[in-house]
Amino acid sequence: MSSAIRFILNTEELSLGDFGPTETLLDYLRLRRRLTGTKEGCAEGDCGACTVLVGRLSERGLIYESVNACIRLLGSLHGTHIVTVEHLAAKDGVLHPVQQAMVDCHGSQCGFCTPGFVMSLYGLWLSNEQPSRQDIESALQGNLCRCTGYEPIVKAAEQVAESRPSALFDPLERDRTEIMGKLFSMQSATDTLVVEKDGARSIVPASVEAFAEVFSQNPDATVVAGATDVGLWVTKQLRLLDPVIFINHLSELKSITIEDGGVSIGAGVSYADAQGVMDAVVPAFGRLIDRIGGSQVRNMGTIGGNIANGSPIGDTPPPLIALGAELTLRSHSGRRTMPLENYFIAYGKQDRQPGEFVEKIVVPRPAENSHFAVYKISKRRDEDISALCGAFYLMLDAEGLVEEIRIAFGGMAAIPKRATHVEDMLTGQPWSWGVVSAVRDAFDADFQPLTDWRATAEYRSLTAKNLLTRFFLETAGAPSELHRFELEEA
């Protein structure tokens, strides 16, 4: 076993064996390396002031992704290239085109958030030569500015896209082959890495098999893929985690495959990597992913982590349950498969044995002529946690009767849960307003939501009923049926 991780920081190749499992990239950059262009704003991955780029090797080659350094843990950075704002300007002080565009378009006032915006725009500049207005706004979802509004920053992105210079000007483009070679060498190591500091261990397994073995030996370990939730345990709750097993580098968990029956998603697939595939197979699910955090969170967070965490307000379980997804759990002794809905038992409790971990999720392709929708309700549209999230899957028979319906909600109970009473009352009945309106109150038998700062119990209950009405209006189809609904409401 090796006792150090290896990565590249801007132009410097490093071997680091002196860090604890909860040390963040932001603290390392600012406190140890004095790279203070990266700012701390919220310390929870919400404001984007700490944005840096992390380069990694993938099936698409070397890709750079914007991430939140405040919740990115050092142990997750083995075999990566970390790029901070200090790396952009040339050695003679000439600004990078992205930086110059921010100056030209007056995209900065107090300047605190500016490095984060620059790095998000730089990530977009590297990945998209001709971004649309929507692409630009999506890239900036995870960055907050209290001074300028956003129009000058968007104009800066448009300007740099219009006058894009030679790729050889950019250090990451110019040195891409050399960087790829170094990262490949780092990732080719076959040893499991164990870094110990003050008795606390960071473990970076060499393979999924090694992960299964290490986890069986340390069943109480915290497993970290994206850290978009675990990072807050550290920065907000000040938890001391030991040991921590980092798995975000395991390519075996990052596969996503379209099959005849649906999509197989490895537990380590990020939201960003899953979005394009789900856009094609289940478009409503793809649109939901675009509302999960900002781009930094979508680049770090994983589908498997969202499930394994078991939060009652996780965004992906309700649509996956409504779609009839199956979960594969793996341990050192083997695998087992179950319907995803059976995985959630009670608040904070899932059907996962000691040493077991989520390996993959299989999402069935929606049947032809089926209807599927998912609705995320939150206080702000982008980068917000759901007050509730509802998903609906419907199949009608030739006579217009409900052949199959699955309704799943998050934020309405201690776990992601189906509305079985409502489903039973609708099954076999005409898909009509008369039937739908009569079963709305059955939600009260399925859910007794709580009041918290995101929403009251009354709001959640009424919204769940209204989402059923919305789903009906969107799927009823026949104008006569919609007209009948309007007459009855009148």
Side-chain angles (χ1 to χ4, degrees):
M1 292 186 179
S2 176
S3 58
I5 63 170
R6 296 172 61 200
F7 57 89
I8 304 170
L9 174 58
N10 293 328
T11 59
E12 187 178 1
E13 190 172 352
L14 298 171
S15 177
L16 188 66
D18 179 28
F19 65 90
T22 58
E23 184 171 354
T24 66
L25 173 58
L26 177 64
D27 283 348
Y28 174 74
L29 293 175
R30 291 184 60 82
L31 303 179
R32 292 219 236 171
R33 302 307 304 260
R34 305 306 297 167
L35 295 171
T36 55
T38 307
K39 308 299 185 185
E40 178 175 278
C42 64
E44 59 185 33
D46 197 37
C47 73
C50 66
T51 302
V52 299
L53 298 188
V54 173
R56 62 180 175 90
L57 294 178
S58 74
E59 294 179 352
R60 294 174 287 157
L62 176 58
I63 62 171
Y64 286 92
E65 297 170 320
S66 58
V67 305
N68 293 305
C70 68
I71 55 172
R72 186 70 183 252
L73 303 181
L74 275 179
S76 70
L77 294 166
H78 177 67
T80 65
H81 182 198
I82 303 155
V83 183
T84 71
V85 70
E86 288 85 357
H87 190 53
L88 269 65
K91 291 181 180 179
D92 61 2
V94 175
L95 295 179
H96 188 278
V98 172
Q99 295 172 305
Q100 189 61 54
M102 286 285 283
V103 174
D104 296 342
C105 298
H106 307 285
S108 176
Q109 284 190 27
C110 81
F112 188 86
C113 70
T114 302
F117 272 97
V118 167
M119 295 309 292
S120 289
L121 292 180
Y122 184 37
L124 179 66
W125 189 84
L126 288 171
S127 63
N128 189 337
E129 292 190 6
Q130 294 296 325
S132 65
R133 173 81 180 218
Q134 183 176 350
D135 293 333
I136 295 169
E137 292 180 353
S138 180
L140 298 178
Q141 280 175 327
N143 294 81
L144 302 181
C145 177
R146 301 305 187 197
C147 298
T148 69
Y150 296 92
E151 193 63 26
I153 300 171
V154 171
K155 287 181 178 178
E158 293 173 338
Q159 173 179 301
V160 76
E162 291 171 1
S163 58
R164 187 180 180 92
S166 167
L168 294 178
F169 173 87
D170 183 80
L172 300 189
E173 295 287 356
R174 183 183 63 242
D175 303 331
R176 179 171 291 265
T177 300
E178 180 184 353
I179 294 168
M180 289 180 67
K182 290 180 178 180
L183 296 184
F184 182 78
S185 174
M186 294 175 185
Q187 295 183 7
S188 296
T190 58
D191 291 339
T192 290
L193 311 179
V194 180
V195 178
E196 186 170 344
K197 182 177 182 181
D198 299 329
R201 291 174 297 154
S202 302
I203 304 172
V204 184
S207 64
V208 173
E209 290 76 13
F211 169 36
E213 181 177 0
V214 168
F215 200 24
S216 69
Q217 298 166 354
N218 302 272
D220 294 328
T222 301
V223 178
V224 170
T228 53
D229 199 22
V230 174
L232 274 70
W233 300 357
V234 173
T235 61
K236 297 300 183 181
Q237 301 175 16
L238 305 181
R239 291 195 201 179
L240 300 176
L241 306 177
D242 174 46
V244 176
I245 303 175
F246 294 94
I247 64 168
N248 60 297
H249 63 293
L250 296 176
S251 59
E252 301 102 311
L253 297 179
K254 290 179 174 290
S255 64
I256 180 166
T257 307
I258 299 178
E259 303 166 344
D260 290 341
V263 183
S264 176
I265 304 173
V269 172
S270 69
Y271 300 126
D273 285 344
Q275 185 169 4
V277 173
M278 298 312 293
D279 276 339
V281 179
V282 190
F285 194 99
R287 291 192 294 271
L288 171 70
I289 292 176
D290 193 53
R291 294 189 59 199
I292 298 177
S295 57
Q296 297 94 323
V297 168
R298 294 194 296 273
N299 289 333
M300 288 172 57
T302 65
I303 303 288
N306 198 228
I307 292 168
N309 193 35
S311 170
I313 52 173
D315 282 326
T316 63
L320 291 173
I321 289 172
L323 288 165
E326 286 196 339
L327 185 68
T328 296
L329 298 172
R330 180 172 173 179
S331 69
H332 189 49
S333 58
R335 295 177 173 86
R336 63 189 179 109
T337 300
M338 68 178 72
L340 176 60
E341 62 184 290
N342 294 348
Y343 173 74
F344 304 102
I345 299 173
Y347 182 76
K349 183 178 181 181
Q350 298 86 44
D351 184 6
R352 191 174 68 243
Q353 302 303 315
E356 269 189 332
F357 58 91
V358 175
E359 183 179 40
K360 68 176 180 179
I361 308 97
V362 177
V363 186
R365 187 186 296 272
E368 189 175 354
N369 299 323
S370 65
H371 302 278
F372 175 73
V374 56
Y375 309 108
K376 176 184 170 84
I377 306 299
S378 54
K379 288 189 175 183
R380 63 177 186 236
R381 188 187 186 282
D382 292 321
E383 216 190 358
D384 200 3
I385 296 173
S386 293
L388 69 157
C389 181
F392 300 78
Y393 178 86
L394 172 69
M395 274 291 294
L396 302 175
D397 65 16
E399 284 80 37
L401 303 180
V402 177
E403 181 177 315
E404 182 179 13
I405 187 165
R406 291 191 294 270
I407 303 172
F409 271 91
M412 293 288 288
I415 59 173
K417 184 175 178 289
R418 285 175 66 175
T420 54
H421 286 85
V422 176
E423 293 174 358
D424 290 344
M425 293 182 68
L426 288 171
T427 302
Q429 298 298 312
W431 187 238
S432 66
W433 174 241
V435 172
V436 169
S437 62
V439 306
R440 281 168 48 100
D441 288 342
F443 276 111
D444 296 334
D446 286 310
F447 303 113
Q448 295 78 48
L450 300 176
T451 293
D452 59 23
W453 67 272
R454 292 188 181 91
T456 64
E458 293 77 12
Y459 176 85
R460 287 186 164 109
S461 293
L462 179 59
T463 301
K465 297 169 185 177
N466 288 344
L467 289 180
L468 175 62
T469 298
R470 175 177 174 177
F471 182 64
F472 165 75
L473 291 173
E474 291 176 348
T475 56
S480 59
E481 184 62 53
L482 298 182
H483 181 60
R484 187 181 306 120
F485 166 77
E486 292 170 355
L487 290 175
E488 291 175 358
E489 284 297 284

